[in-house]
Amino acid sequence: MAAAATSVVVLDRGNNTTCTINLHGATVVSWRVNNQEQLFVSKLASFDGKKAIRGGIPFVFPQFGPWSFGPQHGFARITRWHLDRAPERLHNGDVEAIFSLMDNEFTRSIWNYQFRITYRLILREKELHFHIGVYNPSKDLSFTFNMLLHTYLKVPDVRRCQITGLHGCHFIDKTREGAMYQEGREVVTVNEWTDRIYQHTPQEHVITNVVSGRKMRLHKYNFPDTVIWNPWIDRSREMSDFGDDEFPNMLCVEAGNVSSPVILLPGTAYEASQILQIIIEGNVSRKTKRNR
Ligand code: TA6
């Protein structure tokens, strides 16, 4: 119990803006901006260093969903990661830290491949950046994997949230036996058990009515899919590490490689990234900023 429970790394940018990572799964367990928590963590979440942490941003790899060889959502979220570079203040005031996970006896007992993942987190004033590199050091063996950031956003009332950027996308609906549908709504809302894998989604989603009624922009790169999840009433009761009354206060918007696994050839690497940005009304979108 002791080792895992105490292994947290804190990025502190000052101004009550911090990001806390638990080495168990390199799970981001808190992102506070001016003292306001942006992420949901269940009050029943387990920090025993064994079970996945129910909330924050668990790191899903190398499998999304049920797995015949190993645990649901893979082993990365239940394995202890290494802190490669302790939190460091950059010249522009941002704070950066780098974590890594390599194959070990446990991972090879489930998935017999060599790999190395680097996970660089950068805490900015109103943004959190995630840069991921997956490397295949093998001389002759390729491997395939899924990868996903299982982001639990904290929301005052999920029924008031709207998600953009899904219109026209095809999705696998896990609440309807995995049947495939096409999204007809301009903005997606959540008013029931929702568990959908949207495929080939655009690089940007805006989620409205997150903490303090603000909007959150999720910008992703090399993560072609977006999973939207809320367990609602019945599924909440099935989870021992999730309160029956907590579903209105969380919304999972998860950027990932789910529908088409990545094939990584020997000696090659794969990079992906995500940016979570709190939108202060009037601040310009990432695209416009770049076009300036
Ligand atoms: O990402 C959505 C999902 O795959 C749902 O199907 C639900 O199972 C959720 O993940 C939580 O999974 P977990 O293994 O953390 O209980």
Side-chain angles (χ1 to χ4, degrees), residues 46-224:
S46 163
F47 290 89
D48 65 0
K50 295 188 182 67
K51 200 173 165 44
I53 295 169
R54 179 61 67 196
I57 308 179
F59 193 112
V60 171
F61 174 93
Q63 171 76 17
F64 175 81
W67 194 16
S68 49
F69 300 122
Q72 151 123 332
H73 289 335
F75 50 66
R77 65 176 183 162
I78 58 168
T79 306
R80 190 179 170 82
W81 288 54
H82 182 261
L83 176 62
D84 280 10
R85 193 185 302 164
E88 191 180 322
R89 184 174 291 279
L90 306 178
H91 62 83
N92 60 6
D94 297 342
V95 181
E96 174 187 90
I98 303 178
F99 303 84
S100 70
L101 181 67
M102 287 174 62
D103 56 288
N104 57 33
E105 209 177 320
F106 167 66
T107 67
R108 287 192 298 273
S109 70
I110 296 171
W111 191 67
N112 196 11
Y113 295 99
Q114 295 174 281
F115 69 89
R116 178 180 166 75
I117 305 175
T118 55
Y119 191 26
R120 184 158 68 96
L121 296 175
I122 305 173
L123 179 62
R124 312 199 73 186
E125 200 184 344
K126 301 265 183 282
E127 300 174 12
L128 190 53
H129 294 216
F130 310 75
H131 298 285
I132 302 164
V134 181
Y135 178 59
N136 178 356
S138 168
K139 299 260 174 310
D140 48 20
L141 267 185
S142 301
F143 60 72
T144 65
F145 66 91
N146 298 136
M147 184 162 70
L148 172 133
L149 294 175
H150 202 297
T151 304
Y152 288 75
L153 295 175
K154 182 176 179 168
V155 297
D157 182 353
V158 68
R159 287 160 283 226
R160 297 186 54 238
C161 294
Q162 298 182 330
I163 308 158
T164 70
L166 297 168
H167 181 243
C169 294
H170 288 88
F171 65 92
I172 294 169
D173 189 338
K174 289 167 75 172
T175 72
R176 290 183 275 181
E177 281 82 46
M180 181 78 87
Y181 298 90
Q182 185 170 23
E183 184 57 68
R185 299 170 292 178
E186 276 302 326
V187 292
V188 166
T189 52
V190 174
N191 295 290
E192 58 183 353
W193 172 35
T194 301
D195 194 353
R196 299 176 169 198
I197 302 172
Y198 286 90
Q199 303 180 334
H200 311 301
T201 54
Q203 284 196 309
E204 197 163 293
H205 302 292
V206 171
I207 303 102
T208 66
N209 283 306
V210 295
V211 170
S212 60
R214 288 197 175 136
K215 294 178 182 171
M216 178 80 73
R217 178 177 287 117
L218 186 159
H219 189 88
K220 56 188 176 76
Y221 164 75
N222 240 2
F223 277 137

Side-chain angles (χ1 to χ4, degrees), residues 24 123 221 234 237:
H24 180 63
L123 179 62
Y221 164 75
D234 298 344
R237 294 199 176 117

